[in-house]
Amino acid sequence: MSLPQGRRHLFFDSKMSKSIPIGIGRRACGWLPYLLLLFSPGSHAEDWDKRMQESGMVDVRTLDSTIQVRLAYATPVNFMSKAVYQGATRAWLHPDAARMLVKAQQYLREEHPGYTLLVYDAARPMAVQRLMWEQVRGTPRAYYVSNPQKKSGRHNYGMAVDVTILDHTGRPLPMGTLFDYFGVEANTDKEEALLQSGRINREDYENRRLLRRVMRRAGFTTISSEWWHFNACSSRTAQQKYKRIE
């Protein structure tokens, strides 16, 4: 099967990369500490860990050490060409979502003892959300990123997670696209048509179904545009019950 345009790149190509002027006004004061973490060359993973702990998040691997973590935005190999988590290695979630992820891992290993979940992204501060939005604003890719001026995504409450599955050798199962691929091939609501047209193959299709099956069994819900994204609650519940990570 031929790869879709851009699929040969890891996560994203870097064509969208640009520098972003940051103005510090009254509205920015609440997330100034995160901006300092984002752009300070002296910041460390421990700084992020402290911020997440203060926000009430939990390191998912303290609940289940078999869950693997490779944070896509902790390296510059992403659509922003920026390591916005500055070397962080831990995946943080609200305890409610973290417990659900542990259940999904258990369900996966019941079906395939040699498989494990791999986390690409978890709780995401609003400062990072704003940075991501600046990279896609005014482009077709804006469809895939929540506009922080209009709403907060479930990532911003620690109630969403981006995951895939590793096989017994530690390699990601083929899912038809790489993580964070902007294109119809990543859609979950068009998979039958994608399969029939050869844009994904049968193995991709079955692997996605496996991932959704264990995540849904644990209580997560999906979205139509990203096979890797799972929500632990509704948007309304997140806003009413949980604290946003600034």
Side-chain angles (χ1 to χ4, degrees):
M1 181 181 68
S2 62
L3 295 176
Q5 183 179 4
R7 187 169 162 187
R8 295 179 179 85
H9 299 282
L10 180 61
F11 307 129
F12 279 112
D13 61 45
S14 59
K15 294 179 181 178
M16 296 297 297
S17 177
K18 60 182 179 180
S19 59
I20 301 173
I22 300 293
I24 305 299
R26 183 181 304 174
R27 284 170 39 176
C29 293
W31 45 280
L32 176 58
Y34 286 106
L35 290 177
L36 297 178
L37 286 179
L38 287 173
F39 297 105
S40 171
S43 62
H44 301 287
E46 291 82 1
D47 300 318
W48 283 109
D49 294 342
K50 181 180 178 181
R51 288 287 174 183
M52 289 299 186
Q53 286 177 319
E54 290 174 347
S55 298
M57 302 295 111
V58 61
D59 174 3
V60 299
R61 297 194 79 238
T62 63
L63 302 184
D64 187 337
S65 62
T66 66
I67 297 173
Q68 300 300 301
V69 176
R70 298 176 194 168
L71 297 178
Y73 306 122
T75 79
V77 187
N78 57 61
F79 78 103
M80 296 174 287
S81 294
K82 296 178 183 293
V84 295
Y85 292 148
Q86 293 291 345
T89 58
R90 301 184 186 186
W92 297 87
L93 286 172
H94 188 278
D96 291 350
R99 286 189 288 267
M100 292 168 61
L101 190 65
V102 168
K103 288 182 179 180
Q105 173 79 336
Q106 293 170 350
Y107 298 145
L108 174 63
R109 292 171 78 85
E110 286 176 6
E111 290 196 43
H112 296 275
Y115 287 6
T116 187
L117 292 175
L118 171 67
V119 177
Y120 283 130
D121 196 24
R124 182 189 303 157
M126 286 298 294
V128 174
Q129 190 71 36
R130 293 182 180 97
L131 184 64
M132 294 174 71
W133 174 249
E134 287 298 323
Q135 299 298 300
V136 300
R137 185 174 60 177
T139 76
R141 295 179 173 184
Y143 170 78
Y144 297 92
V145 180
S146 295
N147 180 350
Q149 299 300 321
K150 295 182 178 180
K151 64 178 181 178
S152 305
R154 259 86 32 116
H155 277 295
N156 308 131
Y157 296 89
M159 294 300 291
V161 63
D162 296 336
V163 294
T164 191
I165 298 173
L166 299 180
D167 67 15
H168 66 283
T169 69
R171 295 175 62 86
L173 296 183
M175 297 286 182
T177 76
L178 296 171
F179 166 73
D180 256 2
Y181 174 77
F182 283 162
V184 68
E185 290 84 2
N187 282 30
T188 62
D189 61 346
K190 296 181 172 63
E191 287 174 340
E192 293 289 347
L194 292 171
L195 180 61
Q196 292 175 7
S197 65
R199 298 173 80 172
I200 65 174
N201 63 32
R202 174 62 63 177
E203 185 181 13
D204 304 329
Y205 178 78
E206 295 299 338
N207 289 338
R208 290 188 188 189
R209 291 185 62 178
L210 171 62
L211 178 59
R212 284 200 299 272
R213 184 163 63 249
V214 299
M215 293 296 283
R216 285 173 170 169
R217 185 179 173 190
F220 288 95
T221 59
T222 60
I223 62 175
S224 63
S225 57
E226 300 172 353
W227 58 258
W228 56 83
H229 179 97
F230 294 88
N231 292 317
C233 68
S234 68
S235 180
R236 176 174 294 184
T237 297
Q239 295 171 11
Q240 294 178 346
K241 184 177 179 180
Y242 300 101
K243 181 180 178 181
R244 193 173 73 174
I245 309 167
E246 295 299 334

